[in-house]
Amino acid sequence: MKRSNESGNERRITGVEQDQWLPIAVRALARSDRTKAQIERLLGAKGASPSQIRVTVRRLTSLKYLNDEVFAGRWAERRLARMPMGRARLQDELLATGCSERIVHATLRSAYRKVSEQDLALQVLTRASRTASAKTPSRVARLLSQRGFDEDTIETVMGPLMREGS
């Protein structure tokens, strides 16, 4: 029964109240892609009630302004192009944006089908070899670990580096 009351309340949020929150959310989305969770937090911080937030998020979703699956795919593509990283780090970043675990796991499967973690780790090694701070194998391994690469990937890409050093 409570649910029907919430629906009734949401139907009453129209006109001025609705118009107050939609432009705020649209302006935020115009500046950058955001998840539903990020928009919910933004509107809550601005003073919108939970029902106003739900109505606004539903409207943005129906207008196709909000889509967490599309957001996650774009995020992953941009992040991997700008800063190659392993699955663990990308997963943490996507979860931090508010994407659901289901969306994050689907995005990771898709992203790492397009490019292997080993190739991304080699990109990190290539870039690191140009800087003085990453000359020792332990520093390179630490960098790869910080970038979210697993131990197997690190060992695979570090093998040739370790043989050169011996």
Side-chain angles (χ1 to χ4, degrees):
M1 212 62 189
K2 187 176 182 183
R3 188 133 179 96
S4 64
N5 288 340
E6 286 179 6
S7 296
N9 289 340
E10 288 178 10
R11 276 190 221 111
R12 283 188 289 254
I13 299 172
T14 58
V16 176
E17 287 183 12
Q18 178 61 27
D19 292 341
Q20 176 183 357
W21 303 111
L22 194 60
I24 291 170
V26 169
R27 277 193 301 276
L29 289 164
R31 287 190 298 274
S32 67
D33 278 346
R34 296 176 194 264
T35 62
K36 289 178 186 179
Q38 290 170 326
I39 291 296
E40 289 168 352
R41 281 192 300 269
L42 169 78
L43 293 176
K46 297 277 186 185
S49 71
S51 60
Q52 290 168 326
I53 293 169
R54 276 191 302 276
V55 169
T56 303
V57 166
R58 279 193 197 128
R59 180 77 176 130
L60 291 167
T61 302
S62 74
L63 292 169
K64 301 198 186 321
Y65 286 179
L66 270 180
N67 183 326
D68 285 358
E69 290 168 349
V70 171
F71 170 91
R74 284 185 193 144
W75 177 275
E77 188 176 302
R78 283 193 306 261
R79 291 297 286 155
L80 291 176
R82 257 191 314 222
M83 189 172 86
M85 65 184 71
R87 183 179 297 265
R89 178 149 178 190
L90 186 58
Q91 177 177 325
D92 289 346
E93 288 189 7
L94 284 168
L95 288 171
T97 67
C99 288
S100 70
E101 286 190 28
R102 179 190 60 78
I103 290 173
V104 169
H105 292 300
T107 301
L108 293 173
R109 276 192 306 276
S110 176
Y112 290 103
R113 254 189 236 127
K114 295 175 186 172
V115 62
S116 75
E117 281 188 88
Q118 187 172 333
D119 289 343
L120 291 169
L122 288 169
Q123 287 178 29
V124 172
L125 278 180
T126 301
R127 291 178 186 176
S129 69
R130 297 181 201 140
T131 66
S133 64
K135 292 297 183 193
T136 66
S138 64
R139 284 186 176 176
V140 173
R142 195 172 329 122
L143 173 64
L144 291 170
S145 179
Q146 289 168 343
R147 290 282 185 95
F149 294 102
D150 61 36
E151 289 181 21
D152 291 338
T153 302
I154 294 171
E155 287 178 23
T156 300
V157 299
M158 293 286 297
L161 186 63
M162 297 304 286
R163 285 190 289 278
E164 283 176 14
S166 358

